[in-house]
Amino acid sequence: MKKLLNVLKYALLLAFSAAMMWYAVRGLNLSRVGESILQANYWWLGLTLVLSALGYFSRAYRWKMQIDATGYHPSYWEVYHAMMVGYLANLVLPRLGEVLRCSVLRRTSGVPVQVGVGTMITERIIDVVVLGLILGATLLLAFNKFWSFATGLVTDKYDTLGQSKQTLIALAVIGLGLGLVSVYLLWRNLERLRQHRVFGKVLSFVKGMLAGVFSIRRMPHKGIFLLHTVFTWVVYFLMGYLAFFAFPATQHLGLVAALAVLTFGTFGMAAPVQGGFGVYHVLVQSTLLVYGISKEDGIVYALVVHGSQTLLVVLMGGISFALSMVQSGRAGRQVSAKPLVARSPAHVVE
């Protein structure tokens, strides 16, 4: 039953991605879209791929710094291969890569899964903070443009903004009520949960995860960690900005537009769907529409940029998967060989 529910969940997510992609391309001249894709300047896109690869190398080094702070010391390439395998898995099953890369790292270097998950949570929290800062900068620099666009969409769908506010307030009140009820039920049954043996296993896992979460506090070179964080996001920004020059329709766009594409494109990639497929395209297309780019040209930009980055992940992740499997196989043979070495001659004779 559980397997059936998982299959159904991923099928629904895939259907949602397909629906979002259909929404992005509906009513468009697909022949014109295809011609624009073929006419793109792929030299600029090649440059974005080089930057993207550098960003992956930097993220792997940053993750290694976090793991080192927990007392485990895997090699850089073990960390990098595990990370890329995770990115590759996310293209097939959303959110699977987060767990899979910690599992691969455990097989290749012995880092416990809960420690890896903890460091990954810290990584995600930092990225959310950075994304929040970028979103604030985007809205501050282009507030009037986005406000005019957003209010135009809202007023087309609603008679008054007041009706929309009332609906949002009602939903917020319902959500808050459900949250309070959940907390109350958890508090009432806390003692019963503590007596359950599963609770002990969960508590042990959470403790290991928290050790990874707070690993940044024990990190010896926090400045280098911050430098890699800034470098990674600068790379993401430059990837979107340089890709503008690959298409005649977007060559005139500036740094603020690239910041907006980075912001809302990241939200699309963070969506719980396969590789951000569909959601990324709709959000980037809509963002470019704010800057006067037609839907056809917007979807061309989104398709080419997302497609090239996906191919890069498949290439780099595929290589990492093969190498990590070879490495984990060697580690397994070494572990299985140890008991044979430890046996005494008397035991063998018996």
Side-chain angles (χ1 to χ4, degrees):
M1 184 65 181
K2 186 177 180 180
K3 290 183 179 180
L4 180 61
L5 290 175
N6 285 332
V7 171
L8 181 61
K9 178 181 70 173
Y10 290 123
L12 289 174
L13 290 175
L14 182 61
F16 177 74
S17 293
M20 294 295 287
M21 181 59 72
W22 171 82
Y23 176 79
V25 300
R26 64 170 185 164
L28 302 183
N29 187 339
L30 296 183
S31 62
R32 181 177 178 273
V33 170
E35 292 175 0
S36 298
I37 291 175
L38 295 176
Q39 293 172 1
N41 188 336
Y42 285 91
W43 186 92
W44 286 104
L45 293 171
L47 185 57
T48 65
L49 293 179
V50 173
L51 286 173
S52 181
L54 293 176
Y56 288 131
F57 293 144
S58 180
R59 286 191 76 94
Y61 190 85
R62 189 182 72 163
W63 191 29
K64 174 173 166 51
M65 291 183 68
Q66 292 178 262
I67 297 171
D68 287 343
T70 65
Y72 296 92
H73 301 283
S75 70
Y76 169 80
W77 290 111
E78 288 172 343
V79 174
Y80 165 78
H81 291 321
M83 184 189 75
M84 292 309 303
V85 169
Y87 287 150
L88 180 63
N90 279 337
L91 296 178
V92 182
L93 298 176
R95 303 283 77 89
L96 173 67
E98 269 65 1
V99 177
L100 184 59
R101 72 174 185 172
C102 296
S103 178
V104 171
L105 191 62
R106 180 189 62 80
R107 291 200 304 266
T108 58
S109 60
V111 177
V113 171
Q114 61 267 30
V115 173
V117 170
T119 58
M120 190 183 61
I121 291 175
T122 305
E123 182 184 62
R124 290 291 179 265
I125 292 173
I126 293 171
D127 287 338
V128 168
V129 171
V130 175
L131 181 59
L133 294 174
I134 294 174
L135 175 61
T138 301
L139 296 178
L140 182 65
L141 294 172
F143 179 79
N144 292 332
K145 186 180 290 290
F146 277 96
W147 178 254
S148 300
F149 184 79
T151 53
L153 290 178
V154 171
T155 52
D156 286 342
K157 293 182 179 180
Y158 300 98
D159 294 331
T160 62
L161 290 173
Q163 293 178 351
S164 178
K165 288 181 179 179
Q166 291 174 0
T167 303
L168 292 176
I169 292 173
L171 291 175
V173 170
I174 293 172
L176 180 61
L178 291 175
L180 291 175
V181 171
S182 300
V183 172
Y184 174 75
L185 293 175
L186 180 63
W187 178 75
R188 284 291 303 270
N189 296 279
L190 187 59
E191 289 299 326
R192 188 182 302 175
L193 288 172
R194 285 178 176 174
Q195 297 174 2
H196 202 283
R197 63 186 186 88
V198 176
F199 184 83
K201 294 182 179 180
V202 173
L203 184 62
S204 177
F205 182 85
V206 170
K207 286 181 178 179
M209 190 173 63
L210 289 176
V213 170
F214 293 106
S215 62
I216 192 172
R217 297 175 58 184
R218 299 184 294 272
M219 193 177 297
H221 303 291
K222 295 182 178 65
I224 298 177
F225 180 86
L226 178 62
L227 181 63
H228 278 281
T229 300
V230 173
F231 176 79
T232 300
W233 282 94
V234 168
V235 163
Y236 293 159
F237 169 76
L238 289 176
M239 285 163 49
Y241 177 67
L242 294 178
F244 284 161
F245 298 101
F247 310 96
T250 57
Q251 287 180 352
H252 66 283
L253 295 179
L255 298 176
V256 177
L259 196 65
V261 168
L262 169 64
T263 303
F264 297 105
T266 303
F267 282 119
M269 293 302 297
V273 295
Q274 289 83 346
F277 186 82
V279 182
Y280 172 89
H281 299 80
V282 169
L283 290 178
V284 170
Q285 182 190 49
S286 300
T287 303
L288 292 175
L289 195 63
V290 175
Y291 287 88
I293 305 301
S294 67
K295 288 187 174 181
E296 285 85 357
D297 292 323
I299 197 61
V300 166
Y301 176 92
L303 285 170
V304 174
V305 171
H306 184 271
S308 60
Q309 293 299 319
T310 300
L311 289 176
L312 181 65
V313 170
V314 170
L315 175 62
M316 297 177 68
I319 294 173
S320 292
F321 177 77
L323 293 177
S324 63
M325 291 301 99
V326 171
Q327 189 173 3
S328 63
R330 290 176 180 172
R333 287 194 296 271
Q334 290 175 358
V335 171
S336 61
K338 285 182 180 180
L340 296 175
V341 175
R343 289 178 181 175
S344 64
H347 179 77
V348 174
V349 172
E350 292 177 355

